[in-house]
Amino acid sequence: MAILEVNNIEKHFGSTKVLKDVSFSLEQGNALAIIGSSGSGKTTLLRCLNFLEKPDHGTIIVNGETLFDGSVPYKRNEKELRRKRLHFGMVFQSFNLFPQYTALENVMLARQMLAKEEPDFKARKKEIYQQIREDSIEALTKMGLQERMDHYPHQLSGGQQQRVAIARALVMKPDILCFDEPTSALDPELTGEVLKVIRNLAENNTTMIIVTHEMAFARDVADQVIFMDDGYVVEAGDPKEVINNPKEERTRQFLSRYTEG
Ligand SMILES: Nc1ncnc2c1ncn2[C@@H]1O[C@H](COP(=O)(O)OP(=O)(O)O)[C@@H](O)[C@H]1O
Ligand SMILES: [Mg+2]
């Protein structure tokens, strides 16, 4: 069974239809790359998965549980939304770390907030916080940042900040980790270190969706690729097939921009 099934997602802003009919599924442990030109709807799709936007139509099913069904009347419930969001981890282009907190504090924060909602929080606070601390140190270590845990964001390079942001997403133990152009804000020499940790996650069978313009990375690391254009999935399949040998004219045109330069 697929860990994620996305069926017929549509989304408009005002009179602009941004997602026209997007469907795909993702198997546990696989990495899906989403490629496509700017404005094709990639970020909006990730935002719909994370319940930052509400789709107009379609279904989102995680582990067999229907998290969103556009045909059912929708009542916004914040606590319910927070629970649904936990299925997805989000790493954005801009790292969005809190400047007043250290790397470790940034990683621990969301888990600490969430823990407060647990019914036995008061009685078990010390034990719960200790566990969060251990998990956070483990996540930062996985990102190669064991020496940098007490640094503040301004003391870290962009690549290190992005790795903190990845650790922060990982520590929530999401079913699916989503990246939105994780290296677009980085200099080329820092891009490599971030791609390397994402590659490691993929090799360790982390279930991931990666929106990226790094075509060689998508081809080598992803198990599956989707090419989006104008709100549609134009072509999908094995990344080596799609990227080396695209079937659709629009995919070919898009990819030619990456091979000519
Ligand atoms: N909140 C919004 N309100 C209005 N238009 C939006 C909003 N978010 C995105 N759009 C529009 O939706 C289209 C797709 O945007 P986006 O999902 O960011 O594409 P991509 O990530 O592929 O570059 C763009 O034309 C963008 O201007
Ligand atoms: Mg985008």
Side-chain angles (χ1 to χ4, degrees), residues 6 62 64 108 125 156 158 204 229-230 235 242 247 250 256:
V6 172
V62 175
M108 294 192 299
K125 182 174 174 182
L156 299 170
N204 287 302
D229 191 38
D230 194 26
E235 190 161 350
V242 172
K247 289 192 177 61
R250 278 195 282 176
S256 69

Side-chain angles (χ1 to χ4, degrees), residues 15 99 118 127 129 137 209 223 229:
S15 58
E118 285 175 29
E127 177 194 337
Y129 272 28
I137 291 172
I209 300 176
D223 300 288
D229 191 38

Side-chain angles (χ1 to χ4, degrees), residues 37-44 93 180-181 211 213:
S37 46
S38 177
S40 57
K42 306 180 299 296
T43 294
T44 304
Q93 182 178 333
D180 193 359
E181 300 189 24
V211 172
H213 291 292

